Amino acid sequence: MKNFISIDDVADLDKLINKALYYKKNPLADKNLGEGKRIGLLFLNPSLRTRLSTQVAARQLGLEPIIFNVDKEGWALEFEEEAIMSGNTVEHIKDAAPVLGKYFDILCIRTFPSLKNKEDDYSELYIRQFVKYAGIPVVSMESATLHPLQSLTDIITITESMTSDLSIKRPRIVLTWAPHVKPLPQCVANSFSQWINAWGKADFVITHPEDYELDPAFTKGARITHDQDEALKNADFVYVKNWSTYKDYGKIYTNDPEWMLTDEKLRVSNKAKVMHCLPVRRNVELSDEVLDGPYSIVTMQAGNRVWAAQAVLSDILQSQF
Ligand code: CP
């Protein structure tokens, strides 16, 4: 693949999953693949897992990672074409990105949405401009609407769990909305929906309160219900995530604590394994008893971020250099 921005960049998802699981067993199998090459990790927002797992993955392939916290240490970037830069932005992406293309062989970017203007966020202006002007492969470490490294990780984690529990043939996967104290992006939910639909090996259900419908471009193919208890029946995997409203963009309409996932709610499931991308607000999104209980696989899931990143970087190195 040339870039990694969404599922559309993946030619063979099963192959990518298998590659990640191979690296999990053989972390240093391709330790010289990226020798003499540098990877730039640019953060316009905070991160723990993405930042560290991508560095570990890069190093295991022999790449040299260099981190740049653009939001704290860089010039304020302008992304709009033909902008009259008389405001707060100092450097245009048209000037900055080609320079980054000279310093690095692969460029990874993390941006978030504004949650103020849906059209701007859903046009993915920031990541598109990096792709347009950097002249080198670009990997999304989360963009305004999608989080592909997380979604690949999630499917790797589900696949791995199924190989250790052969009773699950075609899993029932439930994505459930959870309360939160502030408006969050739809990225993880959009992306998880997009990838699970493309994977096509699950019965996929999304449950959320009224008015929290996601963009149908990502959810089409899933069954959507406002009845969380009904959705959780016979679930094999439950993915918990908050998101703000999509239609009336970036709002919190309800924070009903009844939507928090608890052991009691999970009783109707098929001893469902519980997933969350982290960071999680304990006892708001998920109860302690679930997170600390035997069915939580959130730490395994976060650990798998390394193998997802390693599989993607390896694919780019093998196909582009
Ligand atoms: N899940 C995830 O992307 O975590 P970070 O924001 O800590 O990178």
Side-chain angles (χ1 to χ4, degrees):
M1 70 182 87
K2 169 85 193 289
N3 302 303
F4 184 73
I5 310 297
S6 79
I7 187 70
D8 298 336
D9 296 304
V10 178
D12 187 336
L13 179 53
D14 286 333
K15 198 170 153 194
L16 198 60
I17 293 166
N18 289 337
K19 190 171 195 145
L21 290 170
Y22 171 76
Y23 281 135
K24 187 164 184 173
K25 290 202 175 104
N26 307 279
L28 299 177
D30 288 324
K31 66 181 191 300
N32 299 321
L33 188 62
E35 201 175 320
K37 294 191 173 57
R38 279 184 299 270
I39 178 168
L41 308 181
L42 269 62
F43 287 88
L44 283 83
N45 298 92
S47 160
L48 185 153
R49 279 143 291 271
T50 309
R51 181 186 178 110
L52 297 175
S53 62
T54 311
Q55 279 184 87
V56 172
R59 286 190 189 281
Q60 287 176 168
L61 292 169
L63 285 160
E64 182 189 358
I66 296 179
I67 292 206
F68 184 29
N69 297 309
V70 183
D71 55 336
K72 296 184 185 73
E73 297 155 357
W75 301 115
L77 291 173
E78 176 62 57
F79 289 87
E80 291 290 345
E81 296 288 345
E82 298 175 22
I84 298 169
M85 290 174 56
S86 56
N88 293 330
T89 53
V90 177
E91 180 163 25
H92 202 283
I93 189 69
K94 211 182 225 183
D95 303 310
V99 175
L100 297 168
K102 297 287 176 215
Y103 298 158
F104 301 116
D105 300 282
I106 300 173
L107 197 56
C108 305
I109 321 283
R110 166 171 279 205
T111 69
F112 268 15
S114 67
L115 290 182
K116 292 184 172 65
N117 184 313
K118 180 159 66 176
E119 283 68 38
D120 282 359
D121 288 345
Y122 274 69
S123 76
E124 289 283 14
L125 177 68
Y126 286 17
I127 204 96
R128 275 196 297 109
Q129 294 291 63
F130 274 109
V131 170
K132 184 171 175 186
Y133 291 118
I136 56 174
V138 171
V139 173
S140 166
M141 297 190 295
E142 188 168 357
S143 66
T145 67
L146 295 170
H147 196 349
L149 282 174
Q150 182 65 55
S151 307
L152 174 57
T153 299
D154 299 336
I155 297 186
I156 290 164
T157 306
I158 290 167
T159 304
E160 192 182 10
S161 297
M162 285 171 63
T163 47
S164 55
D165 182 352
L166 295 173
S167 68
I168 307 171
K169 300 285 182 248
R170 185 178 169 87
R172 180 176 167 97
I173 300 176
V174 178
L175 169 64
T176 180
W177 182 91
H180 203 280
V181 295
K182 60 178 212 170
L184 293 189
Q186 295 102 33
C187 312
V188 170
N190 283 345
S191 200
F192 185 71
S193 303
Q194 184 187 54
W195 281 67
I196 292 292
N197 281 328
W199 189 48
K201 295 181 183 174
D203 293 327
F204 184 36
V205 182
I206 304 174
T207 183
H208 54 71
E210 278 181 41
D211 301 318
Y212 278 85
E213 275 70 22
L214 293 161
D215 182 347
F218 303 115
T219 60
K220 64 172 180 282
R223 188 166 74 76
I224 298 168
T225 171
H226 300 145
D227 185 341
Q228 189 190 38
D229 293 332
E230 188 270 318
L232 292 172
K233 272 184 202 153
N234 301 318
D236 296 301
F237 294 89
V238 178
Y239 199 109
V240 185
K241 187 70 187 88
N242 169 269
W243 60 87
S244 58
T245 54
Y246 168 70
K247 207 168 162 194
D248 180 20
Y249 192 56
K251 305 279 192 314
I252 294 180
Y253 271 17
T254 175
N255 241 341
D256 185 354
E258 279 298 308
W259 277 82
M260 179 176 78
L261 194 71
T262 59
D263 267 353
E264 174 69 30
K265 281 181 181 274
L266 282 169
R267 279 205 190 120
V268 296
S269 76
N270 183 24
K271 294 183 178 167
K273 293 168 180 52
V274 177
M275 304 175 72
H276 188 289
C277 63
L278 304 181
V280 63
R281 297 267 184 160
R282 280 178 173 255
N283 302 310
V284 175
E285 294 175 82
L286 271 165
S287 66
D288 276 342
E289 61 189 6
V290 175
L291 274 166
D292 301 332
Y295 301 115
S296 167
I297 55 170
V298 298
T299 307
M300 166 188 172
Q301 184 185 358
N304 282 341
R305 291 293 306 269
V306 170
W307 316 114
Q310 193 161 332
V312 168
L313 295 178
S314 167
D315 190 300
I316 291 172
L317 285 168
Q318 283 170 333
S319 64
Q320 301 300 315
F321 296 97

